[in-house]
Amino acid sequence: MLVFVPVSTTLGIDIEWKKPKKFKSASEEKSWMQQSRKEAREIRLDLESGRLKPKDMPGRILVEPNPNQVPSDEAKRFQKELFNRKGALTTERNFVNLFTKLANSLQFWDPVKALRVLNQMKKMKLTKLMLLRNPDCVTKTRDLREFGGEEEFQEHDMVIRQKSTELYAKFKKICNLESDHDDSFWEDFCKQVDVFNALTKDMKKIFRTTLSDQGYKRLLDAEKASDSSISVNAQNGE
């Protein structure tokens, strides 16, 4: 299994690491391989988030694996993943840049450009992680729903408010927090931002930027497991 690690050379995970030479049955071997692949996926996510380093699991984690030893289906999966990640990084970068353009167009009052930028952002394929990494963009959109200017700009003001409201509604949908009550969504989103920041505060910026949805879920699950363990130990008086 190949792994995308942003600050490293290509890494691989040996799914046959310490595989027994013999099994009692074909089903036993199949079960062993399924468990090994499951562990490999977890290792991959930990490598991608920077929680693991190759030196932590010598032999199991391979640095610059021989391409001839990589199955063709795994090589294709990895190439597809690289393509998707590159696209996601480009989308997020463009998203942030568009907000800068939006701020400039409002500061120097170019309503036509501002509306064009808002329409562009509404069409983008954003993810929840992109919003958690860039909460200021959500904050600015929230504020723009009440945008107001001089009387001579009143018509444009209303359109900017409308487009900002539509974009904000899209953010709610992306976060699966489509509450009718705005304060409820905002409070939930802010809590999620706090959780994200807490879980990634010790993470290098490059790992934080390239963190995938699966990788973040892995961090959340690990945090929940840690909290549960602490709770159990406390109950047992340990």
Side-chain angles (χ1 to χ4, degrees):
M1 179 179 290
L2 296 176
V3 187
F4 171 80
V5 181
V7 293
S8 175
T9 52
T10 302
L11 300 179
I13 301 169
D14 185 358
I15 61 173
E16 295 192 355
W17 173 249
K18 292 187 177 180
K19 181 180 179 181
K21 293 182 179 180
K22 293 183 179 180
F23 292 91
K24 294 180 180 179
S25 63
S27 61
E28 184 182 53
E29 181 177 8
K30 181 180 179 181
S31 178
W32 188 94
M33 288 299 296
Q34 288 176 338
Q35 179 61 28
S36 180
R37 288 192 176 93
K38 179 177 180 294
E39 292 174 358
R41 287 192 292 270
E42 292 172 350
I43 293 171
R44 173 171 63 86
L45 294 175
D46 287 342
L47 284 168
E48 291 174 352
S49 65
R51 297 178 70 206
L52 264 182
K53 295 180 175 60
K55 65 180 182 180
D56 295 331
M57 301 184 75
R60 185 79 190 266
I61 299 174
L62 309 174
V63 179
E64 293 288 5
N66 186 339
N68 295 327
Q69 295 179 344
V70 179
S72 59
D73 57 340
E74 173 59 18
K76 290 178 181 178
R77 183 205 66 79
F78 187 60
Q79 287 299 321
K80 183 179 180 180
E81 180 183 359
L82 289 179
F83 178 80
N84 291 337
R85 282 177 177 266
K86 182 179 179 180
L89 289 171
T90 300
T91 296
E92 185 167 349
R93 181 190 62 202
N94 291 341
F95 176 58
V96 175
N97 288 341
L98 282 173
F99 257 99
T100 300
K101 291 181 180 180
L102 177 62
N104 290 336
S105 64
L106 294 175
Q107 180 181 356
F108 298 105
W109 193 238
D110 186 345
V112 174
K113 183 177 180 180
L115 291 173
R116 184 168 63 246
V117 170
L118 284 167
N119 283 327
Q120 283 181 271
M121 286 191 288
K122 187 180 176 183
K123 295 176 182 178
M124 299 182 80
K125 292 184 178 180
L126 305 172
T127 67
K128 183 177 179 179
L129 269 182
M130 292 179 188
L131 300 181
L132 292 178
R133 277 192 287 258
N134 303 283
D136 287 350
C137 295
V138 179
T139 303
K140 292 173 184 175
T141 304
R142 181 173 184 260
D143 294 341
L144 282 176
R145 296 175 308 152
E146 304 296 330
F147 181 79
E150 302 296 333
E151 289 186 6
E152 59 186 290
F153 302 135
Q154 189 172 7
E155 182 179 349
H156 283 124
D157 291 349
M158 293 303 297
V159 179
I160 289 174
R161 291 173 191 167
Q162 178 186 347
K163 294 298 180 180
S164 299
T165 299
E166 292 173 0
L167 182 59
Y168 193 67
K170 177 177 180 174
F171 293 164
K172 289 184 179 182
K173 186 174 182 180
I174 291 171
C175 294
N176 295 319
L177 297 171
E178 296 183 80
S179 172
D180 292 333
H181 198 279
D182 176 56
D183 287 340
S184 176
F185 162 73
W186 182 243
E187 289 173 6
D188 287 341
F189 178 73
C190 289
K191 288 178 182 177
Q192 292 195 30
V193 171
D194 289 341
V195 170
F196 176 80
N197 289 337
L199 290 178
T200 61
K201 63 183 176 64
D202 297 324
M203 194 178 289
K204 290 183 179 180
K205 184 178 180 180
I206 186 65
F207 284 105
R208 192 175 188 271
T209 302
T210 58
L211 184 65
S212 66
D213 290 326
Q214 283 185 319
Y216 185 53
K217 184 179 183 301
R218 172 78 170 158
L219 292 178
L220 288 171
D221 291 343
E223 182 69 12
K224 290 178 182 177
S226 176
D227 290 344
S228 297
S229 176
I230 292 173
S231 177
V232 170
N233 290 337
Q235 291 175 7
N236 293 334
E238 297 179 8

